[in-house]
Amino acid sequence: MMEASEAMEEGAALRGGDSDLPEDERRNRIKLLQEVANISDEHTARQLLSTAEWNVEEAVQIALGAGSFAAQNPWPAAAPPAGNAAEQGASWHGLGAPLLQPVAGTARSFQQSAAAGAAAIAAPLGFRAWLRQGLRRLGDLVVEFVRGFVYRAGGGGGAVQGGHWFGGNAVTGQGLRRALVAAYGGQLELPRFFDGTFMEALDAARAELKLLVVFLHSSGAPRSEEFCTRVLADQNVRQMLDENFVLWGGDAASPSVRGVVRLTRTREYPSLSVLLPAAVDDIQLINSMSGQAELDMAVALLTACMDDMQMHRAAIVARTEQFAEDRQLREQQDREYQEALEADRKRAEEQALQEQRQREEEQQAREEAEALEAKCREREESLRRRARELAEAGEGPEATARISLRLPAGQRIDRKFSPEAPLETVYSWAEVAPYMPENEGKGLVVPERFKLTSSFPSRELTERERTVAELNLAGSALLLAEVEDEEAEP
């Protein structure tokens, strides 16, 4: 108990309504509520806190006390009507306001029950939060055990009526109906209750284009028996409820129904509320009556809702279509976003491939240039070596045939050859001529592939194995011409 009191003091900053909280503080409370109540959806946590005017304790009570569906489905938004059925009567027309809209002075309806869970809310996340939440749940179990023992012993009312215990499977749906029949008479004929959770009842009413009537029973209320035997058991009321509405009932004493009690803003029992489930996030309170057992009032309430049923159905259809359109739009936007991401990914891949190809081409070009450069250097070194060898050998005394050679750039060079020297020797001299010592600095250029031709008579000299004398080249002037690739000899 001391630890719980300490936790309540630590959580004082989180208690009490404050609709003007900074967004950072709201996010902190949303995160805390998600951790404590095990709520995965941020929107659901925000709706619950908005309902409780940002009181974390009360939001946890709604989430933990409303059954298994509270953590899985966002609570619908609604607000109480301007007045009860007695004030509005059968002439009331309107769709109501959102169920979860805050109403001044109502945020602390669960203050007593919220105190039991203060330790799990205010404590820091981790072991302390786990321990305090466990203590809270253990306390709830002890309270339920003591209450059940006292009620079974006949010591009080509350969830006991006529010796019948309203617990276990008798808190909602057909279980509640059977418990009411057992408590108030075996011949009691009641309308058909929807057998399922509150959220499932909302879905069923929306699917059938009907209004949802919520009956909240408290066996300790003074008019509960009268309401069941005179109002719910009335033939006209039964017929209207069975044919035109979806009826869901719950025992207000059950922890699993507290969330519905909080949502419908019920303060007196028995209570009959009519809801319009326009959409998942738009539940409107049409009308309600509570603490009364007047048959005429109930008939007027249901009749007024039936008179406006077409308008209500149109609202359900419109919101359903709007919801479908919004979902389709979101799906389309998601598809377009995914397509844009895919297009960006493909563009990035294509750009990466293009850059890779460009790098490979550049690398190949560099390698080819380096290979060509190496080949040129090797050829130049070979020509220089041959030029040195030719210069060292000299013309010799037998060299009596002078041959003049004109290069493509117009320069002229000459050398004496032996008449018995083959034409190949003349070609070899022409090839290394730029590197001969006597030609240094003249800027001679000899193509890599060339041919020699004589002027008079004009002929192409290709028979390299024949001698200078055989070709009658002594004293002649030859012309060196470049050979194109397709003209090059093997």
Side-chain angles (χ1 to χ4, degrees), residues 14 18 28 34 39 85 91 135 175 181 218 234 238 269-270 301 348 363 370 464:
L14 300 180
D18 188 354
N28 291 337
Q34 287 182 276
I39 299 176
S91 62
L135 291 175
V181 172
S218 176
D234 181 77
R238 292 202 318 269
Y269 302 97
L301 183 149
Q363 178 66 21
E370 292 174 357
R464 298 190 180 190

Coordinates of all heavy atoms in Angstrom, one line a residue, residues 14 18 28 34 39 85 91 135 175 181 218 234 238 269-270 301 348 363 370 464:
L14 N 0.1 13.3 -13.9 CA -0.6 12.7 -15.1 C -2.1 12.6 -14.8 O -2.9 12.2 -15.7 CB -0.1 11.3 -15.3 CG 1.4 11.2 -15.7 CD1 1.8 9.8 -15.9 CD2 1.7 12.1 -16.9
D18 N -6.7 18.0 -18.8 CA -6.0 19.2 -19.3 C -6.0 19.2 -20.8 O -5.3 18.5 -21.4 CB -4.6 19.2 -18.8 CG -3.9 20.6 -19.1 OD1 -4.5 21.4 -19.8 OD2 -2.8 20.8 -18.6
N28 N 4.0 12.0 -24.7 CA 4.5 11.2 -23.5 C 3.4 10.4 -22.9 O 3.6 9.2 -22.5 CB 5.2 12.2 -22.5 CG 6.5 12.8 -23.1 OD1 7.1 12.2 -24.0 ND2 6.8 13.9 -22.5
Q34 N 0.2 3.4 -23.9 CA 0.5 2.2 -24.8 C 1.3 1.2 -24.0 O 1.0 0.0 -24.1 CB 1.2 2.7 -26.0 CG 0.3 3.4 -27.0 CD 1.1 3.8 -28.3 OE1 1.8 4.8 -28.3 NE2 1.0 3.0 -29.3
I39 N -1.3 -1.3 -25.6 CA -2.1 -0.8 -26.8 C -1.0 -0.5 -27.9 O -0.2 0.3 -27.7 CB -2.9 0.5 -26.5 CG1 -3.9 0.2 -25.4 CG2 -3.6 1.0 -27.8 CD1 -4.7 1.4 -25.0
A85 N -34.6 11.5 -22.7 CA -35.8 11.3 -23.6 C -37.0 12.1 -23.0 O -37.9 12.5 -23.7 CB -36.2 9.8 -23.7
S91 N -40.4 14.2 -30.5 CA -40.2 15.1 -31.5 C -38.7 15.4 -31.8 O -38.4 16.2 -32.6 CB -40.9 16.5 -31.2 OG -40.3 17.0 -30.0
L135 N 0.3 -5.9 -9.0 CA -0.4 -5.7 -7.7 C -1.8 -5.2 -7.9 O -2.7 -5.6 -7.2 CB 0.4 -4.6 -6.9 CG 1.8 -5.1 -6.3 CD1 2.5 -4.0 -5.7 CD2 1.6 -6.3 -5.3
G175 N -26.2 -14.3 -22.5 CA -25.9 -14.7 -21.1 C -26.6 -13.7 -20.1 O -27.2 -14.2 -19.1
V181 N -33.9 -13.3 -17.1 CA -35.1 -14.2 -17.0 C -35.1 -15.0 -15.7 O -36.1 -15.1 -15.0 CB -35.1 -15.1 -18.2 CG1 -36.2 -16.2 -18.1 CG2 -35.4 -14.3 -19.5
S218 N -28.1 -2.7 -14.0 CA -27.4 -2.7 -12.7 C -28.5 -3.3 -11.7 O -29.5 -2.6 -11.4 CB -27.0 -1.4 -12.2 OG -26.4 -1.4 -10.9
D234 N -42.3 -5.6 -22.8 CA -43.5 -5.2 -23.5 C -43.4 -5.7 -24.9 O -42.4 -5.6 -25.6 CB -43.6 -3.6 -23.4 CG -44.8 -3.1 -24.2 OD1 -45.9 -3.2 -23.6 OD2 -44.7 -2.7 -25.3
R238 N -40.5 -5.1 -27.6 CA -39.8 -6.2 -28.1 C -39.8 -6.3 -29.7 O -38.8 -6.5 -30.3 CB -40.3 -7.5 -27.6 CG -40.1 -7.7 -26.1 CD -40.3 -9.2 -25.7 NE -41.3 -9.9 -26.4 CZ -42.6 -10.0 -26.0 NH1 -42.9 -9.5 -24.8 NH2 -43.5 -10.7 -26.7
Y269 N -29.0 3.9 -13.6 CA -29.4 2.7 -14.2 C -30.8 2.4 -13.8 O -31.3 2.9 -12.8 CB -28.5 1.5 -13.7 CG -27.0 1.8 -14.0 CD1 -26.2 2.3 -13.1 CD2 -26.5 1.5 -15.3 CE1 -24.8 2.5 -13.4 CE2 -25.2 1.7 -15.6 CZ -24.4 2.2 -14.6 OH -23.1 2.5 -14.9
P270 N -31.5 1.6 -14.7 CA -31.1 1.1 -15.9 C -31.0 2.2 -17.0 O -31.6 3.3 -16.9 CB -32.2 0.1 -16.3 CG -33.4 0.7 -15.6 CD -32.9 1.3 -14.3
L301 N -39.0 7.1 -27.4 CA -37.6 7.2 -27.8 C -37.3 6.3 -29.0 O -36.7 6.8 -30.0 CB -36.7 6.7 -26.6 CG -35.1 6.7 -26.8 CD1 -34.5 7.0 -25.5 CD2 -34.6 5.4 -27.4
A348 N 17.8 4.2 -60.0 CA 19.1 4.2 -59.3 C 19.9 3.0 -59.8 O 21.1 3.1 -60.0 CB 18.9 4.1 -57.8
Q363 N 38.1 2.2 -68.1 CA 39.2 1.4 -67.7 C 39.8 0.6 -68.9 O 41.0 0.5 -69.1 CB 38.8 0.3 -66.7 CG 39.8 -0.6 -66.2 CD 41.0 0.0 -65.5 OE1 40.8 1.1 -65.0 NE2 42.1 -0.6 -65.4
E370 N 47.3 2.3 -72.8 CA 48.6 1.9 -72.2 C 49.3 0.8 -73.0 O 50.5 0.8 -73.2 CB 48.4 1.4 -70.8 CG 48.0 2.5 -69.8 CD 47.6 2.0 -68.4 OE1 47.6 0.7 -68.3 OE2 47.3 2.8 -67.5
R464 N 60.5 -7.5 -102.8 CA 61.5 -7.2 -101.8 C 62.7 -8.2 -101.9 O 63.8 -7.8 -101.4 CB 61.0 -7.1 -100.4 CG 59.9 -6.1 -100.2 CD 59.6 -5.9 -98.7 NE 58.5 -4.9 -98.5 CZ 58.2 -4.4 -97.3 NH1 58.8 -4.9 -96.2 NH2 57.2 -3.5 -97.2

